[in-house]
Amino acid sequence: MISGRCAACKNQRRKCPSDCIFSPYFPANDPQKFACVHKIYGGSNVGRMLQGVPTYLREQAANALYLEAKWRIDDPVYGCVSIISSFYEQIQNAEIELAKIQTQVAFYKLQIQHVEAEPNLEVLQSQSINMEQFESDNPTITSWFN
Amino acid sequence: MISGRCAACKNQRRKCPSDCIFSPYFPANDPQKFACVHKIYGGSNVGRMLQGVPTYLREQAANALYLEAKWRIDDPVYGCVSIISSFYEQIQNAEIELAKIQTQVAFYKLQIQHVEAEPNLEVLQSQSINMEQFESDNPTITSWFN
């Protein structure tokens, strides 16, 4: 079965048993996938981790291990933690942006209410709410995510 | 120096050399930190990975390896990939939410422009822009993140 060996068994230069734990998730035509996890975890650790999850979840586990290994090879200091930090920062920024825009919406709604209550444009313009004043009067609006 | 052994050397039941690669990052008073990385990567792989990064970045690397190992122990199938997926989904949702609210802002701005151009409230009300119509006329506004 030399020609039918999976990437893991090829890498380890051994026979590929019919019940090989790696074979379904590390095919011979993608040697890079096993090379990555082998470099970071070691082959026996990967086998042990796959054994530790139910068969129907092993493909997901193998793919997640591969991604984590790849990220660590790409960034030997932070690995996937750099992606998580960057995503966390993006979420924080989006929340700040959302809060700002929601303040803007509240401001415009209030301005339209003024128009409806007093349809005289000159009065509206002289009485119109100042956006900065509105934000400082409603500080909780900009911090409702925190 | 038995009493001064770091968590890694204690775990491996060996002497802790003065130039131990683990000692600064895996102190004896936090055995769990080494136990986690040892379980996922194996001690020698962790030592090798720390050797592979400059000394001033080893603390960050040790901490990132610990986090990744902890996430994998907590979730043996997806590890940190589940966090990354969840954050990615949150970013997508925030972007959709932002796009919707920006459409709302554009709608209100347009409504206010109408008031300024035609300060007669009855005309405004009869001519007022329909929000759903506005969104269907400006489909790119809701999809500018994609």
Side-chain angles (χ1 to χ4, degrees), chain A residues 10-144:
Chain A
K10 262 192 178 170
N11 181 292
Q12 307 284 293
R13 294 177 190 186
R14 66 184 174 210
K15 277 191 176 179
C16 190
S18 58
D19 61 347
C20 176
I21 184 85
F22 301 103
S23 169
Y25 323 112
F26 297 99
N29 63 3
D30 188 3
Q32 190 58 23
K33 189 177 177 187
F34 182 76
C36 278
V37 296
H38 181 256
K39 184 173 178 179
I40 298 302
Y41 302 101
S44 58
N45 278 334
V46 175
R48 191 180 39 78
M49 287 193 276
L50 289 177
Q51 287 281 7
V53 300
T55 312
Y56 74 98
L57 289 170
R58 282 183 191 160
E59 188 170 354
Q60 285 93 315
N63 290 340
L65 284 167
Y66 165 60
L67 280 174
E68 286 177 48
K70 201 171 162 293
W71 287 324
R72 174 132 309 265
I73 291 165
D74 290 346
D75 182 344
V77 177
Y78 296 102
C80 70
V81 174
S82 68
I83 297 172
I84 290 176
S85 301
S86 147
F87 276 13
Y88 184 74
E89 207 178 309
Q90 279 184 56
I91 291 168
Q92 297 272 310
N93 290 340
E95 285 172 348
I96 291 167
E97 190 67 15
L98 262 174
K100 278 183 184 167
I101 296 178
Q102 284 186 325
T103 310
Q104 244 186 319
V105 168
F107 168 72
Y108 286 128
K109 275 185 180 168
L110 213 56
Q111 212 170 36
I112 287 166
Q113 276 170 19
H114 270 241
V115 177
E116 286 173 355
E118 179 50 83
N120 182 314
L121 188 62
E122 282 176 49
V123 173
L124 166 75
Q125 283 171 336
S126 67
Q127 287 184 349
S128 74
I129 308 136
N130 176 280
M131 186 66 183
E132 282 172 23
Q133 184 60 43
F134 179 82
E135 279 178 334
S136 72
D137 288 348
N138 296 275
T140 52
I141 293 176
T142 53
S143 61
W144 62 278

Side-chain angles (χ1 to χ4, degrees), chain B residues 103-146:
Chain B
T103 309
Q104 244 185 321
V105 168
F107 168 73
Y108 286 128
K109 275 184 179 168
L110 213 56
Q111 212 170 35
I112 286 166
Q113 277 171 17
H114 270 241
V115 177
E116 285 172 356
E118 178 51 84
N120 182 315
L121 188 61
E122 281 175 50
V123 172
L124 165 75
Q125 282 170 337
S126 67
Q127 287 183 349
S128 72
I129 308 134
N130 177 281
M131 185 68 181
E132 282 171 24
Q133 185 60 42
F134 179 81
E135 278 177 335
S136 73
D137 288 349
N138 297 276
T140 53
I141 293 176
T142 52
S143 60
W144 62 277
F145 277 105
N146 302 322

